[in-house]
Amino acid sequence: MNDAHGSPQTVVVFGGTSEIAHAVLARLAARRTRTVVLAGRHPTALDAVADELRAMGVTTVDTVPFEAAATEEHASLVDDVFARHRDVDLVLIAFGQLGDQAVLERDPAAAARLATVNYVAAVSVGLAVAARLRDQGHGNLVALSSVAAERPRRSNFVYGSTKAGMDAFFRGLGDALRGSGARVTVVRPGFVRTRMTAGLPAAPFATTPEAVADAVVRGLETGAETVWVPPVLRWVMAVLRHLPGPVFRRLGDR
Amino acid sequence: MARELLAGWGRTAPSAADVRRPAGVDEVVAELAAAPARGAIARGLARSYGDAAQNAGGDVISTLGLGGVSWADKAAGLVRAAGGASLDEVQRFLLPCGWALPVVPGTRHVTVGGAVAADVHGKNHGRDGSFARHVADLRLAMPTGVTTVTPVGDPDLFWATFGGMGLTGAVVEATLRAARVETAHVRVVARRAGELDAVMAAMAAKDGRHRYAVAWLDATAGGRSTGRGVITWGDPACLADLPRARRRASPSRSPLVVPPRRTVTVPAWAGAAGCALPGAGVVALNRLRYGRAPATDTIGVEPLDRFLFPLDAVAGWNRLYGRAGFVQHQFVVPYRSAEVIRMALERFRAAGCPPALAVLKRLGTADPGPLSFPMPGWTLAVDFPAARPGLAAVLDDLDELVAGAGGRVYLAKDARLRPELLPVMYPNLDRWRAVKRRVDPDGILTSDLARRLRLAGSPGNGGGASAGAAVAAAPAAGAG
């Protein structure tokens, strides 16, 4: 069960090798989290994360093979996880790919695969999770979106469009779950320095997985519907969203 | 029947459950027998602060359809009250006849069933013990029927029910022993003291001299004023204490009639607002309250309900803390560890979360309930906005200190205890679990609190499975 500070006891992560998820779990393990389910593509990488979690005091770590593109398997996978670990207090949606914009523009099939992972899979996992949270009458769902969801940029609009889709989906899902005891938080970090962004030039207001994790834990405490990291991005993006196209493009080119 | 989002008085961690509203005891049994896989729990007026009367995804059985108060033996002051009757209802029944409830908590708006389940205490614990001490028998509803439980017939179940948070059966009726009163008033002595040691010394010096004793502390004050506060002692007023005009027993102005009380109501929108009580306002109110209190013992007479139920002056006061709700935290430490009270106040201030309200009391001899909160020592109750940054860590650290000192937190107020500390704070937990297994082997009675704290021993549905000494000998028994 979640406590008065939104600290969960049992956490399920989709995208179990995500660095942001790892930082979130480290903070939650220091509080109340004793059971973690890691769902992801690479079993050996999950095992490494599992070992670290055990060292942090998590008593039960379960690793589950999860293929984002295999959407037809998601519902049974989610049902199975919820059946084996009753009372899932927090589900973290942390899978996603950035892709190389130049490659994606040349390869429509690759772009479609990215859209499947980042958006379509988020929809199928999200709906399956929502049904189980509704049944158990409580629980939080945290979805890692991106500031890129706010306004498409020339330099990464394929990725941005997938995040815009999943962002809109989870906000709507949060509204749909009102009164069910379940709650949805959409997290919109700016540029986060991780493996996923290694080698890319950092954007303004770049942040770290640790800062994102702090903001997520704080969001659970306050019951926030959206969490911006760093917080100032809420206002920066509010301005950018309304800039005239020519001005926005010039900013984006730099 | 519909899913409803339910929270405790602190309005943190709400969850959804199917709410049942039985109109009689038989229907309570039927609801329990038909409970779904996620079980059921009784819910009265929902004044427990945390998640004790919530049962996410299962059934919540409202006891408010079970009302009624009657005499079991008027000459002896034995009164029979339904589990869903409020203490207000019971008190209004008793007072005109010259009787009163001997133990009440800080609000009248709790049900008899809730008072039993939490084993509530008042400002007179040293003298009169907890609620349990004044209960002659209980009627408990279980899926299999209703049983009358007495301290002689089934002492284990009787005592496990006090403080048992509703997990040993739904309390559908109780027979209570009332106390004689001459008037519905209290003779009050009050004075302030400039820092914590002076407050404690003054309270200790008058220990046992008055029926009631309580100190309100200004937890926003620091340095040499840390723990300054106003101490109030009280005794039931006799006729001679009242002004001459009130002594006559005319129907309108009987000394046993509770004068009407002015209350204010916090509007519903305040509970949806993001902003809690502003910190500066809290400091100013505390300062004002301290400043206005008399410096030396000052005697007065107050209506009983104003003295006993200060919280009831503002209806819906829990909304003052806004959308995120609040955490009320109450712990007790043995008298030998009195310094923990000062450390708590200092830590709250150092962490930037001084409580908006702090109340200090002395508790006396414990009653036998294995999960009953009161034990001899100092108890501090404090309120915080739930979303105050750093609060979670401060309270976690304090819990370690309290557990190490042999103290405990009050489960009726808890919304956040680390479950690993529960067996440390309640060393008789295994005894309670043995009773729970005996009377509810399928774990039908469960709640969010039971799940969160693994009260019944298993991380699953809060019932059935096992933990503790019995299991240590036979580990295979832990079928979760």
Side-chain angles (χ1 to χ4, degrees):
Chain A
M1 303 301 299
N2 287 299
D3 72 2
H5 304 294
S7 296
Q9 295 177 310
T10 298
V11 181
V12 177
V13 181
F14 289 92
T17 53
S18 144
E19 285 163 84
I20 292 176
H22 192 205
V24 171
L25 289 171
R27 280 151 184 76
L28 296 178
R31 292 186 165 199
R32 299 286 182 269
T33 302
R34 299 293 175 268
T35 301
V36 174
V37 180
L38 299 170
R41 275 175 88 183
H42 305 293
T44 45
L46 290 181
D47 288 343
V49 178
D51 288 341
E52 286 182 52
L53 289 174
R54 286 190 195 97
M56 291 173 193
V58 178
T59 51
T60 306
V61 187
D62 189 3
T63 57
V64 180
F66 164 68
E67 183 63 57
T71 51
E72 66 285 355
E73 294 166 8
H74 290 171
S76 60
L77 187 147
V78 166
D79 290 355
D80 182 54
V81 165
F82 271 72
R84 277 186 294 125
H85 303 278
R86 268 203 298 182
D87 282 288
V88 173
D89 307 317
L90 172 66
V91 176
L92 183 57
I93 307 287
F95 60 88
Q97 295 170 351
L98 183 57
D100 180 327
Q101 175 73 17
V103 173
L104 294 170
E105 283 183 40
R106 285 194 306 269
D107 184 349
R113 281 196 298 277
L114 186 86
T116 303
V117 169
N118 286 7
Y119 172 63
V120 180
V123 169
S124 73
V125 171
L127 287 172
V129 166
R132 295 286 74 78
L133 294 182
R134 197 183 275 284
D135 281 352
Q136 69 175 22
H138 75 103
N140 292 330
L141 195 163
V142 171
L144 297 184
S145 175
S146 164
V147 288
E150 271 290 284
R151 183 165 182 174
R153 277 170 65 210
R154 168 69 190 90
S155 58
N156 69 352
F157 70 85
V158 176
Y159 171 80
S161 70
T162 64
K163 283 298 183 186
M166 74 90 84
D167 189 291
F169 169 77
F170 281 110
R171 277 182 294 145
L173 188 65
D175 291 343
L177 285 172
R178 281 187 75 88
S180 72
R183 231 174 43 194
V184 176
T185 303
V186 174
V187 184
R188 295 184 188 139
F191 184 95
V192 188
R193 293 190 186 89
T194 61
R195 281 192 309 270
M196 190 167 95
T197 59
L200 295 179
F205 306 108
T207 184
T208 61
E210 289 70 30
V212 177
D214 285 336
V216 167
V217 172
R218 180 72 190 138
L220 292 172
E221 271 182 1
T222 60
E225 292 176 22
T226 45
V227 171
W228 297 81
V229 200
V232 67
L233 279 178
R234 175 189 295 269
W235 313 114
V236 172
M237 292 311 294
V239 172
L240 288 183
R241 188 168 51 220
H242 295 104
L243 284 181
V247 181
F248 182 72
R249 279 190 288 277
R250 273 181 82 173
L251 279 174
D253 289 344
R254 291 199 294 169
Chain B
M1 182 275 290
R3 275 276 163 111
E4 286 179 36
L5 194 60
L6 304 174
W9 190 242
R11 306 171 77 237
T12 55
S15 69
D18 295 321
V19 179
R20 315 282 174 170
R21 294 189 166 79
V25 174
D26 293 346
E27 290 181 30
V28 175
V29 174
E31 293 294 2
L32 286 171
R38 290 180 67 86
I41 192 74
R43 178 178 174 102
L45 285 162
R47 291 303 169 105
S48 57
Y49 289 78
D51 46 7
Q54 297 168 219
N55 182 27
D59 280 4
V60 165
I61 300 174
S62 170
T63 59
L64 298 182
L66 311 174
V69 186
S70 60
W71 287 113
D73 180 346
K74 190 171 180 181
L78 276 178
V79 63
R80 195 171 285 141
S86 68
L87 296 192
D88 182 46
E89 202 179 327
V90 180
Q91 192 82 313
R92 282 175 195 281
F93 176 86
L94 293 173
L95 272 177
C97 309
W99 295 93
L101 283 168
V103 169
V104 291
T107 168
R108 306 166 282 166
H109 303 298
V110 301
T111 61
V112 170
V116 170
D119 195 18
V120 296
H121 62 275
K123 309 175 203 332
N124 53 336
H125 188 270
R127 195 65 91 80
D128 299 314
S130 62
F131 199 78
R133 200 176 291 181
H134 311 278
V135 177
D137 63 53
L138 295 172
R139 295 228 303 149
L140 284 182
M142 294 299 291
T144 46
V146 180
T147 356
T148 300
V149 187
T150 66
V152 177
D154 189 345
D156 287 344
L157 177 55
F158 184 83
W159 293 112
T161 301
F162 289 95
M165 306 312 289
L167 298 165
T168 58
V171 180
V172 292
E173 195 180 273
T175 308
L176 315 172
R177 284 187 288 266
R180 271 279 177 211
V181 288
E182 271 184 45
T183 74
H185 294 262
V186 178
R187 193 178 59 241
V188 180
V189 183
R191 58 165 282 211
R192 67 186 189 198
E195 51 84 38
L196 186 65
D197 285 343
V199 170
M200 288 177 147
M203 290 181 86
K206 289 202 190 189
D207 213 16
R209 299 239 305 268
H210 298 278
R211 183 162 294 266
Y212 305 106
V214 61
W216 161 86
L217 303 183
D218 174 3
T220 64
R224 279 188 305 182
S225 299
T226 298
R228 72 179 181 183
V230 182
I231 314 145
T232 310
W233 294 274
D235 291 284
C238 47
L239 270 180
D241 294 323
L242 296 192
R244 201 166 293 273
R246 288 209 73 100
R247 292 183 203 166
R248 280 172 298 134
S250 74
S252 58
R253 308 203 58 181
S254 156
L256 289 165
V257 164
V258 179
R261 185 175 177 190
R262 230 183 18 205
T263 59
V264 294
T265 301
V266 178
W269 56 259
C275 172
L277 286 170
V282 168
V283 171
L285 282 172
N286 275 283
R287 198 169 286 173
L288 184 73
R289 182 163 179 183
Y290 179 79
R292 284 179 51 174
T296 54
D297 282 6
T298 304
I299 298 170
V301 173
E302 263 184 38
L304 187 67
D305 71 333
R306 199 166 79 197
F307 179 82
L308 292 177
F309 310 119
L311 298 177
D312 295 343
V314 184
W317 63 269
N318 58 339
R319 298 190 201 116
L320 285 172
Y321 288 95
R323 195 177 51 213
F326 74 104
V327 170
Q328 158 123 169
H329 186 71
Q330 183 171 355
F331 66 91
V332 57
V333 284
Y335 285 118
R336 62 171 187 279
S337 303
E339 72 282 357
V340 173
I341 302 288
R342 175 179 297 276
M343 291 164 82
L345 293 172
E346 284 169 352
R347 285 177 182 202
F348 296 150
R349 259 181 63 84
C353 15
L357 186 69
V359 173
L360 181 71
K361 291 190 300 252
R362 288 169 70 80
L363 300 180
T365 314
D367 290 278
L371 288 189
S372 178
F373 166 72
M375 57 183 273
W378 293 100
T379 181
L380 182 70
V382 279
D383 280 6
F384 307 93
R388 183 64 60 87
L391 179 62
V394 173
L395 292 180
D396 276 358
D397 289 350
L398 181 60
D399 284 343
E400 303 290 335
L401 198 64
V402 167
R408 57 174 66 134
V409 301
Y410 190 5
L411 297 186
K413 300 192 171 181
D414 180 58
R416 36 129 328 263
L417 179 67
R418 197 161 66 82
E420 289 89 344
L421 286 178
L422 186 72
V424 183
M425 292 182 166
Y426 288 90
N428 294 323
L429 181 61
D430 284 336
R431 251 175 52 209
W432 183 86
R433 283 174 172 168
V435 178
K436 168 77 176 164
R437 277 197 299 277
R438 167 165 70 86
V439 300
D440 185 21
D442 301 324
I444 286 167
L445 288 156
T446 187
S447 62
D448 287 1
L449 176 101
R451 287 194 182 90
R452 179 171 56 79
L453 293 178
R454 298 198 292 275
L455 258 172
S458 87
N461 61 2
S466 42
V471 175

